[in-house]
């Protein structure tokens, strides 16, 4: 098949690697046969009539006619096996409290909570919003919701009330699960207070949240509305330990969950993942990434509020009967060795985190690491941003003591699980620091130029996925057109990831960051247009442009150039107000590093802001051709404002 001929390449030095390339080629040559076999490793109520329905591209449907429930594979399958007595979660609170939860405990709790949800009136296909911190009730809620055939929409607990309201309204979600408060850097975060505000905001936009379930975490004083609010523990404790709720048989192409992510417009998009496709792809990717063994202790140091947590803290580990560590708090609280003390305490064998966390931890020096016995580690993983080669070296040598392969996983909310990543089996995929290496079996990526031709080795282009895979989205909630436009219109029929990439002479993929108006700030995905929309809400702002500039720890940080309305005084207080607007609309993760006031923004004659020019100035790079600018003096003014700021 011509499109895979040169991708990836064989390398005579590594016989196992060549075996892998043969295996991979076979898998992408006939994806239906490959995924048919893979899906059979899982439990289904009914197997499918058709592996892949391509009749309405790009709305591909996997395992059509099949029926299952992800609980069958994550929980029920472990009954009457040794895994039932095994630890599912070692949970560690930021304040040092700890909980050990076995598969049996989890099964009991999920059944009881499923029953409680049914008795509260939650029905199949309802969307339940989950706004919880990193506590065990978060996976418990997700499993209970999917068990009864409803869908979860998990909203990261660091998002603001407004961001929560936007997601509740878009999903028309009437039931919300939250907590009273939780600790972050030693201080309580009042989550329920955020919820009260969000419910008001949602109500003003026509969506009435009818039931709120509250988990007690810190026991703080909270507003409580009788008849609407319920304590989680009171609900669950009503039912006996042997409560059983049969997992609802869902169609393979039903929606398993929605997860909102940022794109190139102001409105976050609800990515919909499918019951059978997500389940199959995640099971397969988790196995590939970690070569998981019964004795492993796996720790994904990330938040369940993002896709990384959905897949690598909840569904992936549970479908493999693995033991997962779940840490609630901030990375350097109370001291910069917190993560290393967790590795030592639970004898973590596989650690998976982001380059941002590694850069943060590295800056405190190696002595914090050396205080701890990290000899249990056997594999290290990374995700979310490109990893700088020097950070890779530190991870490999200082954390892994030169013994642990580094599994650099490229993927995104839309893909369900990793797509380009090595297997840690020795020699299957030789590593190169900074490269996510090769595609997983069944995945066919490529790098294309603007005309849709594959780029030669070493030449930068855009990453695409050329064939459907089971973990692909069903679409965008309520907006099928946006799904087609965002992912399948740049290159007709191919999935456009929005990332720059390059292949090298040996066919390795190197990911080079976003190619659109999306930033990765400390690994979090934030749309610059979302931030600009937030700024425009302030009465003093006439125009705003947000761009990302490199940062040694966070990878990238946002800077906003703002044009004020005539007559407004550009004083420093106003800068704080503008920063506050962004924090309130999105959340503290989107806090801009700087706001600079200018008289005009660099724009084309048709009024389009030239982000390229802005970026060049704010990163002190060459400005290049400015002949299409409406007013070239805007460049000098911006340079002056930036110099003053620096
Ligand atoms: O730019 C890529 C970057 O993260 C983006 C996806 O973000 P999100 O949907 O939040 O998912 C993050 C966790 C899967 C991608 O478009 N990205 C992710 N992994 C890598 C990466 N960039 C480089 N190397 C990676 N390993």
């Amino acid at each position: 098949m011509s499109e895979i001929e040169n991708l990836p390449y064989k390398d005579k030095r590594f016989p196992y690697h060549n075996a892998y390339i043969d295996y991979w080629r076979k898998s992408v040559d006939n994806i239906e046969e490959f995924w048919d076999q893979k899906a059979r490793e899982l439990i289904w109520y009914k197997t499918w009539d058709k592996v892949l329905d391509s009749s309405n591209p790009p709305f591909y449907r996997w395992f059509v006619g099949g029926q299952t429930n992800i609980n069958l594979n994550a929980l029920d399958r472990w009954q009457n096996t040794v895994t039932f007595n095994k630890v599912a979660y070692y949970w560690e609170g930021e304040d040092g409290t700890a909980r050990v939860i076995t598969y049996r405990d989890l099964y009991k709790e999920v059944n009881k909570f499923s029953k409680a949800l049914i008795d509260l009136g939650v029905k199949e296909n309802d969307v339940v919003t989950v706004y919880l911190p990193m506590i065990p009730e978060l996976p418990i809620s997700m499993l209970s919701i999917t068990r009864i055939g409803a869908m979860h929409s998990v909203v990261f607990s660091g998002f603001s009330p407004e961001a929560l309201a936007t997601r509740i309204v878009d999903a028309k979600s009437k039931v919300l699960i939250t907590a009273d408060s939780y600790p972050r850097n030693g201080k309580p975060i009042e989550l329920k207070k955020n919820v009260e505000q969000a419910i008001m905001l949602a109500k003003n936009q026509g969506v009435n949240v009818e039931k709120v379930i509250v988990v007690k975490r810190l026991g703080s004083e909270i507003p409580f509305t009788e008849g609407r609010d319920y304590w989680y523990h009171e609900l669950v404790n009503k039912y006996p330990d042997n409560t059983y709720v049969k997992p609802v048989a869902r169609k393979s192409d039903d929606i398993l969950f929605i997860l909102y992510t940022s794109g190139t417009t102001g409105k976050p998009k609800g990515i919909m993942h499918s019951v059978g496709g997500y389940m199959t792809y995640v099971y397969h990717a988790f196995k590939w990434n970690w070569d998981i063994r019964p004795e492993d202790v796996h720790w994904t140091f990330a938040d369940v509020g993002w896709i990384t947590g959905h897949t690598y803290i909840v569904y992936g580990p549970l479908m493999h009967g693995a033991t997962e560590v779940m840490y609630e708090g901030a990375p350097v609280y109370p001291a910069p060795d917190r993560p290393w003390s967790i590795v030592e305490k639970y004898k973590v064998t596989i650690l998976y985190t982001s380059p941002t966390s590694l850069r943060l931890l590295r800056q405190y020096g190696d002595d914090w690491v050396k205080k701890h016995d990290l000899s249990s580690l056997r594999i290290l993983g990374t995700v979310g941003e490109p990893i700088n080669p020097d950070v890779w070296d530190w991870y490999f040598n200082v954390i892994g003591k030169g013994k642990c392969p580094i599994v650099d996983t490229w993927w995104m909310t839309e893909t369900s699980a990793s797509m380009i990543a090595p297997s840690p089996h020795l020699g299957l995929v030789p590593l190169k620091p900074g490269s996510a290496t090769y595609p997983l079996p069944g995945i066919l990526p490529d790098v294309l130029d603007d005309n849709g031709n594959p780029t030669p080795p070493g030449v930068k282009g855009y990453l695409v996925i050329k064939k459907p895979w089971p973990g692909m989205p069903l679409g965008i909630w309520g907006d099928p057109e946006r799904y087609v436009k965002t992912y399948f219109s740049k290159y007709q029929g191919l999935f456009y990831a929005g990332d720059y990439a390059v292949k090298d002479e040996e066919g390795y993929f190197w990911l080079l960051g976003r190619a659109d108006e999306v930033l990765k700030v400390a690994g979090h995905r934030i749309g610059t247009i979302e931030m600009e929309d937030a700024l425009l809400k302030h009465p003093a702002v006439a125009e705003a442009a947000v761009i990302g500039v490199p940062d040694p720890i966070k990878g990238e940080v946002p800077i906003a150039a703002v044009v004020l309305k005539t007559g407004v005084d550009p004083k420093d207080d106003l800068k704080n107000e503008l920063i506050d607007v962004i924090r309130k609309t999105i959340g503290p993760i989107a806090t801009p590093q700087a706001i600079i006031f200018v008289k005009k923004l660099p724009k084309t004659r048709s009024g389009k802001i030239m982000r390229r020019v802005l970026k060049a100035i704010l990163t002190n790079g060459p400005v290049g051709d400015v002949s299409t600018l409406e007013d070239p003096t805007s460049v000098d003014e911006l340079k002056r404002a930036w110099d003053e700021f620096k």
Side-chain angles (χ1 to χ4, degrees):
M1 196 180 164
S2 65
E3 63 184 340
I4 57 171
E5 236 154 47
N6 299 315
L7 240 174
Y9 306 76
K10 286 195 176 183
D11 185 329
K12 291 194 187 59
R13 290 169 302 169
F14 302 104
Y16 293 118
H17 177 57
N18 289 345
Y20 172 57
I21 299 303
D22 287 338
Y23 176 74
W24 174 82
R25 282 198 180 173
K26 225 174 131 226
S27 74
V28 289
D29 254 346
N30 193 340
I31 51 170
E32 294 189 38
E33 188 185 310
F34 178 77
W35 291 114
D36 182 75
Q37 278 173 19
K38 289 291 160 192
R40 284 176 202 281
E41 290 176 32
L42 289 145
I43 299 169
W44 297 72
Y45 281 127
K46 178 179 173 294
T47 47
W48 43 97
D49 308 318
K50 199 168 174 26
V51 179
L52 173 63
D53 176 358
S54 309
S55 60
N56 183 26
F59 298 95
Y60 296 96
R61 297 296 180 250
W62 284 89
F63 312 115
V64 179
Q67 288 185 6
T68 187
N69 186 303
I70 201 159
N71 271 249
L72 293 181
N73 290 292
L75 280 183
D76 297 47
R77 81 180 294 172
W78 306 121
Q79 288 181 90
N80 307 318
T81 71
V82 284
T83 307
F84 215 43
N85 290 324
K86 193 178 158 178
V87 174
Y89 289 109
Y90 285 119
W91 176 81
E92 173 140 321
E94 191 188 72
D95 52 8
T97 44
R99 285 163 71 181
V100 177
I101 297 168
T102 63
Y103 275 84
R104 182 188 301 276
D105 300 333
L106 196 62
Y107 180 81
K108 269 194 225 160
E109 191 78 4
V110 167
N111 273 286
K112 291 204 269 183
F113 192 39
S114 298
K115 183 84 175 78
L117 290 173
I118 292 172
D119 288 351
L120 272 183
V122 180
K123 306 229 156 25
E124 202 178 333
N125 290 319
D126 282 353
V127 180
V128 179
T129 303
V130 184
Y131 185 55
L132 278 173
M134 283 284 288
I135 54 178
E137 286 76 9
L138 177 45
I140 289 165
S141 297
M142 292 162 72
L143 290 159
S144 306
I145 291 163
T146 54
R147 190 173 187 88
I148 65 168
M151 305 174 264
H152 50 75
S153 163
V154 176
V155 178
F156 172 55
S157 58
F159 272 131
S160 68
E162 244 178 80
L164 172 61
T166 309
R167 287 156 178 77
I168 290 174
V169 170
D170 189 73
K172 299 196 178 51
S173 173
K174 304 229 150 87
V175 181
L176 176 66
I177 305 173
T178 188
D180 54 351
S181 55
Y182 67 96
R184 186 81 190 173
N185 285 310
K187 293 196 201 74
I189 306 281
E190 304 290 342
L191 207 60
K192 182 66 186 347
K193 291 198 177 134
N194 284 358
V195 164
E196 296 295 330
Q197 278 186 48
I199 289 177
M200 286 267 293
L201 291 166
K203 198 172 186 167
N204 293 341
Q205 295 166 63
V207 175
N208 200 11
V209 176
E210 291 161 4
K211 311 263 183 230
V212 180
I213 301 163
V214 188
V215 181
K216 192 178 266 186
R217 166 64 184 107
L218 287 180
S220 49
E221 281 279 310
I222 54 161
F224 206 85
T225 307
E226 288 302 329
R228 185 199 67 186
D229 295 358
Y230 300 82
W231 283 110
Y232 170 89
H233 59 273
E234 286 180 4
L235 286 180
V236 164
N237 291 343
K238 281 204 296 215
Y239 303 97
D241 273 355
N242 62 357
T243 303
Y244 173 69
V245 173
K246 187 172 187 278
V248 168
R250 299 278 283 162
K251 293 208 295 283
S252 173
D253 53 349
D254 277 341
I255 304 166
L256 180 67
F257 65 79
I258 311 172
L259 182 60
Y260 284 88
T261 188
S262 293
T264 52
T265 73
K267 196 169 168 241
K269 42 191 175 185
I271 300 297
M272 306 188 290
H273 281 300
S274 70
V275 169
Y278 176 87
M279 181 179 91
T280 303
Y281 192 64
V282 166
Y283 177 83
H284 166 72
F286 193 89
K287 193 163 160 185
W288 180 254
N289 293 142
W290 313 120
D291 170 32
I292 197 83
R293 301 169 189 174
E295 65 280 12
D296 272 323
V297 178
H298 185 274
W299 179 23
T300 296
F301 182 24
D303 199 294
V304 172
W306 310 108
I307 192 70
T308 306
H310 278 57
T311 297
Y312 289 90
I313 300 178
V314 184
Y315 294 116
L318 296 179
M319 282 197 281
H320 284 277
T323 296
E324 183 69 25
V325 174
M326 187 173 177
Y327 170 57
E328 178 186 47
V332 293
Y333 186 86
D337 61 343
R338 186 66 188 268
W340 318 127
S341 75
I342 291 175
V343 170
E344 181 172 18
K345 178 170 170 191
Y346 299 105
K347 301 199 168 34
V348 171
T349 58
I350 304 170
L351 170 65
Y352 187 34
T353 191
S354 64
T356 284
S357 312
L358 297 172
R359 289 190 295 258
L360 175 76
L361 294 162
R362 182 178 68 151
Q363 71 171 350
Y364 292 96
D366 296 358
D367 286 347
W368 288 105
V369 183
K370 289 187 192 134
K371 280 171 61 180
H372 298 279
D373 176 7
L374 305 184
S375 59
S376 55
L377 288 171
R378 70 177 186 93
I379 300 172
L380 301 172
T382 155
V383 60
E385 308 147 76
I387 182 163
N388 334 45
D390 59 323
V391 178
W392 196 101
D393 271 353
W394 184 77
Y395 203 21
F396 186 72
N397 290 312
V398 179
I399 306 304
K401 319 291 181 219
K403 299 181 322 205
C404 308
I406 296 201
V407 175
D408 181 347
T409 62
W410 176 86
W411 57 296
M412 52 202 297
T413 307
E414 292 83 341
T415 68
S416 295
S418 69
M419 301 282 279
I420 303 179
S423 162
H425 281 286
L426 214 58
L428 264 192
V429 182
L431 304 178
K432 289 189 190 183
S435 166
T437 72
Y438 286 154
L440 263 73
I443 302 300
L444 180 61
D446 205 347
V447 180
L448 304 183
D449 65 17
D450 275 313
N451 302 320
N453 300 315
T455 53
V459 177
K460 182 171 159 181
Y462 302 98
L463 183 71
V464 295
I465 311 295
K466 289 178 149 173
K467 287 196 174 185
W469 71 102
M472 69 192 310
L474 288 170
I476 295 177
W477 177 262
D479 202 347
E481 270 164 40
R482 189 173 177 195
Y483 182 64
V484 179
K485 189 162 169 268
T486 311
Y487 306 105
F488 295 94
S489 66
K490 185 167 170 77
Y491 302 109
Q492 188 75 43
L494 307 183
F495 178 87
Y496 169 70
D499 272 12
Y500 287 122
V502 67
K503 285 171 298 182
D504 68 15
E505 292 287 349
E506 286 161 332
Y508 278 68
F509 284 82
W510 299 75
L511 284 310
L512 306 174
R514 297 289 310 179
D516 55 9
E517 279 91 45
V518 170
L519 304 185
K520 295 295 309 228
V521 181
H524 302 311
R525 180 164 161 185
I526 303 172
T528 50
I529 317 272
E530 257 174 280
M531 300 181 67
E532 290 164 8
D533 283 357
L535 288 167
L536 289 170
K537 283 189 189 167
H538 194 284
V541 176
E543 285 182 290
V546 175
I547 59 136
V549 300
D551 178 86
I553 303 291
K554 293 183 170 180
E556 199 171 27
V557 287
I559 292 196
V562 171
V563 180
L564 295 173
K565 287 191 183 147
T566 339
V568 178
D569 182 10
K571 50 185 194 310
D572 276 351
D573 276 3
L574 188 55
K575 287 192 180 169
N576 295 336
E577 276 178 37
L578 296 182
I579 289 176
D580 222 41
V581 171
I582 292 189
R583 291 171 65 97
K584 282 217 178 95
T585 315
I586 304 172
I589 52 166
T591 308
Q593 196 199 38
I595 304 255
I596 50 173
F597 292 133
V598 288
K599 293 255 164 12
K600 38 187 152 353
L601 292 170
K603 282 194 191 162
T604 60
R605 278 179 211 110
S606 56
K608 212 168 164 281
I609 297 171
M610 286 189 78
R611 292 166 182 282
R612 172 182 67 74
V613 173
L614 254 173
K615 184 143 188 147
I617 297 170
L618 302 192
T619 53
N620 308 316
V623 173
D625 179 14
V626 290
S627 56
T628 53
L629 275 184
E630 185 183 45
D631 178 358
T633 63
S634 59
V635 171
D636 299 327
E637 199 224 335
L638 195 63
K639 271 190 183 153
R640 257 198 318 278
W642 181 233
D643 284 342
E644 268 168 36
F645 173 80
K646 285 190 295 176

